[in-house]
């Protein structure tokens, strides 16, 4: 058994809706892939570790990662806001979150993250970035400001630069993002090889 299969054999899903969406995504080519279940579990762990009450997700897709986050904030009495700019997937995310019984905990907003982020006030415990890759360096400063001191910023797909299967331009955005993060004195960061790579930053200074 390979490493991935072995570790996945331990990852129980927090909601039956997650398994349905995983199966569905294997059959569809009209939606962007969701996060890996091991990343979902890891996000669930982080929410519990920092006792996150306010979780912001940028890039809802059809709601797979939002369901992991929603299940996690049930245990912390928190809430999730998830943002996406795609009309059709927005309809799907609303439906899937409802199916998972999380509508009261997960707020969905349709719009460009660039614009919606400007309307938010700060104090977020966790910000999870999984939208357009060009966006990561573009909204970095805004995200740091929105995150509370002691909060976490988690960015997905940050090892794209060294993935030969990924278009060079996308890798370049991720490389620029990683450089910004590691040069940022307000953040204490590391990259982990989970899925296509995640960069996790603790905001320790304002
Ligand atoms: C990889 S998918 C998100 C998958 C989701 N996080 C999951 O794991 O289930 C990326 C999403 O980001 C959205 N997106 C891309 N650029 C965006 C932007 N500028 N503002 C808001 N959403 C954006 C896309 O519509 C797409 O649904």
């Amino acid at each position: 058994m390979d490493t991935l299969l072995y570790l996945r054999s331990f990852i129980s899903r927090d909601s039956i809706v997650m398994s349905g969406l995983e199966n569905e995504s294997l059959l569809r080519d009209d939606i962007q892939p969701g996060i890996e279940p091991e990343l979902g579990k890891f996000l669930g762990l982080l929410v519990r570790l920092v006792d996150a009450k306010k979780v912001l997700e940028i890039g809802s897709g059809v709601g797979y990662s939002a369901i992991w986050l929603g299940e996690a904030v049930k245990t912390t009495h928190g809430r999730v806001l998830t943002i996406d700019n795609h009309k059709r997937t927005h309809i799907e995310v609303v439906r899937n979150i409802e199916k998972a019984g999380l509508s009261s905990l997960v707020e969905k907003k349709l719009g460009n993250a660039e614009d919606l982020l400007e309307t938010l006030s700060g104090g977020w415990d966790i910000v999870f970035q999984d939208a357009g890759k060009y966006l990561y360096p573009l909204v970095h400063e805004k995200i740091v400001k929105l995150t509370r001191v002691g909060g976490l910023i988690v960015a997905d797909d940050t090892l794209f630069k060294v993935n030969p299967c990924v278009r060079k331009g996308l890798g370049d955005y991720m490389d620029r993002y990683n450089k910004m993060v590691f040069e940022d004195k307000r953040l204490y960061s590391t990259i982990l090889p989970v899925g296509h790579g995640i960069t996790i930053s603790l905001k320790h200074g304002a």
Side-chain angles (χ1 to χ4, degrees):
M1 193 188 268
D2 75 7
T3 310
L4 193 58
L5 275 181
Y6 179 73
L7 75 86
R8 282 191 181 166
S9 72
F10 290 99
I11 296 179
S12 56
R13 308 308 189 256
D14 296 345
S15 159
I16 185 90
V17 180
M18 292 168 177
S19 321
L21 289 177
E22 285 167 27
N23 294 333
E24 196 183 318
S25 78
L26 295 174
L27 304 170
R28 290 179 63 175
D29 58 8
D30 62 331
I31 49 170
Q32 293 187 37
I35 58 168
E36 300 74 16
E38 54 275 17
L39 176 53
K41 200 71 165 186
F42 188 60
L43 290 173
L45 183 71
L46 293 178
V47 168
R48 288 163 173 87
L49 268 175
V50 302
D51 194 28
K53 311 281 188 219
K54 282 181 69 175
V55 178
L56 172 62
E57 175 180 65
I58 308 167
S60 326
V62 294
Y64 179 73
S65 49
I67 294 173
W68 279 101
L69 294 168
E71 284 293 332
V73 297
K74 259 189 197 170
T75 68
T76 62
H77 306 289
R79 285 177 62 81
V80 178
L81 168 63
T82 184
I83 290 173
D84 204 289
N85 64 359
H86 196 285
K87 267 197 191 135
R88 184 176 44 78
T89 56
H90 179 73
I91 294 167
E92 293 195 48
V93 78
V94 170
R95 193 192 59 208
N96 290 330
I97 298 290
E98 196 176 293
K99 233 196 262 176
L102 293 168
S103 297
S104 62
L105 299 182
V106 181
E107 186 185 351
K108 291 78 56 184
K109 278 196 179 171
L110 173 65
N112 281 323
E114 298 90 313
D115 306 324
L116 290 177
L117 290 175
E118 294 301 323
T119 68
L120 300 179
S121 47
W124 295 87
D125 298 301
I126 296 186
V127 179
F128 176 52
Q129 286 221 67
D130 192 22
K133 303 310 155 201
Y134 72 94
L135 208 58
Y136 290 41
L138 190 68
V139 298
H140 170 71
E141 186 56 33
K142 185 68 192 169
I143 298 291
V144 175
K145 290 211 168 97
L146 287 174
T147 307
R148 72 163 166 89
V149 173
L152 299 174
I153 301 166
V154 184
D156 195 19
D157 301 322
T158 55
L159 287 174
F160 269 5
K161 176 71 181 170
V162 287
N163 185 335
C165 303
V166 171
R167 192 155 51 80
K168 184 179 173 301
L170 295 182
D172 290 344
Y173 287 127
M174 294 293 84
D175 188 46
R176 198 176 318 150
Y177 175 74
N178 284 328
K179 286 180 174 137
M180 286 175 98
V181 160
F182 279 87
E183 280 165 12
D184 195 322
K185 299 279 179 282
R186 297 164 295 181
L187 305 177
Y188 183 85
S189 305
T190 191
I191 302 177
L192 296 177
V194 181
H196 294 288
I198 53 172
T199 299
I200 309 181
S201 305
L202 168 72
K203 179 172 167 182
H204 62 84

